Amino acid sequence: MPDFDTSVPHVARVYDYWLGGKDNFAADRVMGVAQGAAPESRIVYVDNDPIVLSHAKALLKSTPEGACAYLDADLRDPDTILAGAANTLDFARPVAVMLIAVMHFIGDDAEASAIMNRLMAACVPGSYVALSHAASDIDAVQMAEMIRRLNESTAEKTTLRDRAGVTRLFDGLELVEPGVIRAAEWRPDTDLEAASPAALWGGVARKP
Ligand SMILES: C[S@@+](CC[C@H](N)C(=O)[O-])C[C@H]1O[C@@H](n2cnc3c(N)ncnc32)[C@H](O)[C@@H]1O
C-alpha cells in the first residue's frame, strides 16, 4: 500500500479539486483557492473556452465574505476583461493579475506585450502580476517537437518563448526575486516541487 498523507496538499489532488473531481481532501481544497488563505478575497477567473464556461457555471463558489466571478472573454481583448472585472474588483486598490500558462497562446510578441501593458495600466502601483510561460530554451529539442505535434491538432496554437522573451513581457515593472526562473524553482516549498521538470518560465513583478 503506498504511503500518502491526506493532511498535506498534493498537486495532483489540488488539480483534481480545480477540475471538479472527487479525489481530493480538505488540505487540497484549502490549498486550491485564494479564499482558503484569505476568505475575503475577491477573484475573477477569465477563459474563452465554452467548456470552461460550463464548468465554471456548475462549480464556481465563493465564501460569503469574498466574491468569485467568471468572465467568458478573450485575453486578446483586455478592455472587455477589465470592464467585466471591475464589477467584482476594486481597481482603486492593488490587485494581483495571474497569467498562468496562457500568454503562450498569444503568438505575436508585440500583442503579448500590449496585453500585459494594458492590463497593468489599469492597476494601481503596488499591484502584482504573476506569469508562467512555456519555454523554448528549457529541454529545447523535446519542447520544439512536442509543440510542433500539439499545434498540428489544437485550435489554439502555442508559441514558445525564451527566457529573454518572457522577461521582456515584464518591461516597466519591477521583477521580484528570484526574477524570471524555471517556474518550479520560483520559491518552491520543497525540493520535490523544485525538481518538477515542467519547461515553463515563471516570474512575478510589482507595478512601481
Ligand atoms: C494551460 S490552461 C491554464 C489555465 C489556468 N490559468 C491554470 O493555470 O490552471 C490554459 C487556458 O487558457 C485558455 N485560453 C487559451 N487562449 C485564451 C485566450 N486567448 N483568452 C482566454 N483564455 C484562453 C484555455 O481555454 C485554457 O483553459
Side-chain angles (χ1 to χ4, degrees):
M1 181 72 182
D3 183 26
F4 74 98
D5 180 355
T6 58
S7 70
V8 176
H10 182 277
V11 69
R13 298 194 296 263
V14 173
Y15 258 95
D16 175 78
Y17 170 58
W18 281 336
L19 295 169
K22 55 182 173 38
D23 300 312
N24 53 71
F25 298 89
D28 308 307
R29 295 190 284 274
V30 168
M31 176 71 194
V33 284
Q35 289 180 337
E40 71 281 14
S41 300
R42 304 181 72 79
I43 303 160
V44 179
Y45 296 96
V46 182
D47 205 288
N48 67 348
D49 186 293
I51 303 284
V52 179
L53 171 64
S54 65
H55 282 284
K57 280 182 178 156
L59 295 172
L60 205 61
K61 291 196 195 83
S62 176
T63 57
E65 308 92 304
C68 267
Y70 180 86
L71 287 178
D72 179 27
D74 197 300
L75 185 60
R76 294 182 184 83
D77 186 5
D79 286 330
T80 296
I81 292 174
L82 291 166
N87 293 324
T88 303
L89 307 180
D90 177 1
F91 280 100
R93 301 174 61 190
V95 300
V97 177
M98 297 180 70
L99 295 166
I100 305 303
V102 69
M103 200 57 112
H104 43 236
F105 296 114
I106 308 298
D108 184 76
D109 289 347
E111 186 177 18
S113 288
I115 290 168
M116 185 79 146
N117 292 342
R118 179 67 193 100
L119 291 175
M120 295 316 289
C123 301
V124 293
S127 296
Y128 282 84
V129 59
L131 177 92
S132 68
H133 193 297
S136 63
D137 48 349
I138 301 173
D139 298 328
V141 174
Q142 295 91 329
M143 280 298 279
E145 178 59 10
M146 184 191 71
I147 294 303
R148 188 188 66 73
R149 292 191 196 183
L150 192 73
N151 283 346
E152 275 176 6
S153 49
T154 53
E156 294 279 355
K157 306 300 176 202
T158 299
T159 297
L160 301 176
R161 291 189 169 87
D162 64 12
R163 190 180 195 173
V166 173
T167 304
R168 272 195 297 277
L169 294 172
F170 290 102
D171 277 357
L173 304 169
E174 290 169 351
L175 275 166
V176 303
E177 289 299 326
V180 174
I181 191 165
R182 233 171 41 81
E185 291 175 62
W186 200 96
R187 304 194 193 185
D189 287 329
T190 62
D191 289 347
L192 194 63
E193 224 176 85
S196 158
L200 288 169
W201 293 119
V204 175
R206 180 181 181 279
K207 178 170 172 168

